[in-house]
Amino acid sequence: MVNLFLCKIRVEIVKIPPIFVNVWGSIYHFFDRYAFLHQFSKFTIVGILNTIVGYGLFFIFVSYINYLLATILAHIIAVTHSYLWNRYWVFPSHNPVIWEFLKFNSVYLVVLLENLVLMFCFVSYFAINPKIAGLLILPITTLISYFGHRHWSFKTHIKK
């Protein structure tokens, strides 16, 4: 967005024909779209790995403790695991770690609340096995966490 704004300024100052600005804008959007796909694919890989960790722990814990407590414990471990991968690989960040970790956890707090409410509804009202309910909730959890982390947790603020 900033690059397009700068291109418009250059058109006015240097008198670059608008056709070149439009072509540059198209090229910029193409590579920006590619960057989004690349980032989302990395997020998906981390998500699959994190799902194995989180759901695997939930699957083990639910055999020994209440399903809601199992959900909370697996969530805490999985969130810490996810933060490390997302900060250093998916959304490379130079933001302060403490503030960013708090923002990251705020997104996952929303995810946890959504997860607990849906788990309770699926298990109590629809009599779905908690292990199956956990799988049914995953797509909703994935979308909430991706957009939350992209636009809140790891958002880079440009200083003026």
Side-chain angles (χ1 to χ4, degrees):
M1 187 66 111
V2 174
N3 289 341
L4 290 177
F5 177 73
L6 294 175
C7 287
K8 289 180 182 180
I9 291 174
R10 287 187 204 131
V11 169
E12 294 173 7
I13 296 172
V14 185
K15 303 293 185 204
I16 298 173
I19 186 74
F20 293 119
V21 174
N22 292 338
V23 169
W24 172 251
S26 299
I27 292 170
Y28 177 77
H29 285 298
F30 173 79
F31 285 110
D32 191 43
R33 183 177 303 126
Y34 174 77
F36 168 78
L37 293 175
H38 181 71
Q39 185 180 57
F40 190 77
S41 66
K42 287 165 73 171
F43 182 81
T44 303
I45 291 168
V46 170
I48 290 168
L49 179 61
N50 200 51
T51 299
I52 292 168
V53 170
Y55 188 70
L57 289 171
F58 169 76
F59 194 84
I60 293 167
F61 292 159
V62 80
S63 299
Y64 300 101
I65 58 177
N66 178 278
Y67 69 92
L68 292 176
L69 184 58
T71 300
I72 292 170
L73 288 175
H75 178 82
I76 291 169
I77 295 168
V79 165
T80 304
H81 172 266
S82 180
Y83 174 74
L84 295 172
W85 279 101
N86 279 295
R87 176 176 169 84
Y88 295 106
W89 191 52
V90 178
F91 307 101
S93 174
H94 300 291
N95 295 328
V97 174
I98 301 288
W99 175 241
E100 191 173 73
F101 189 69
L102 290 173
K103 289 169 57 174
F104 186 84
N105 279 294
S106 71
V107 170
Y108 271 116
L109 180 61
V110 171
V111 168
L112 176 63
L113 293 175
E114 165 262 335
N115 204 343
L116 290 173
V117 168
L118 289 178
M119 283 291 283
F120 179 78
C121 291
F122 285 177
V123 172
S124 298
Y125 296 120
F126 301 116
I128 297 174
N129 184 313
K131 295 174 183 175
I132 302 298
L135 287 175
L136 295 174
I137 295 168
L138 283 176
I140 298 166
T141 300
T142 301
L143 291 174
I144 291 171
S145 63
Y146 176 75
F147 287 108
H149 295 315
R150 180 179 171 134
H151 297 290
W152 170 247
S153 302
F154 297 105
K155 183 176 181 177
T156 303
H157 298 284
I158 300 170
K159 295 181 181 179
K160 294 181 180 182

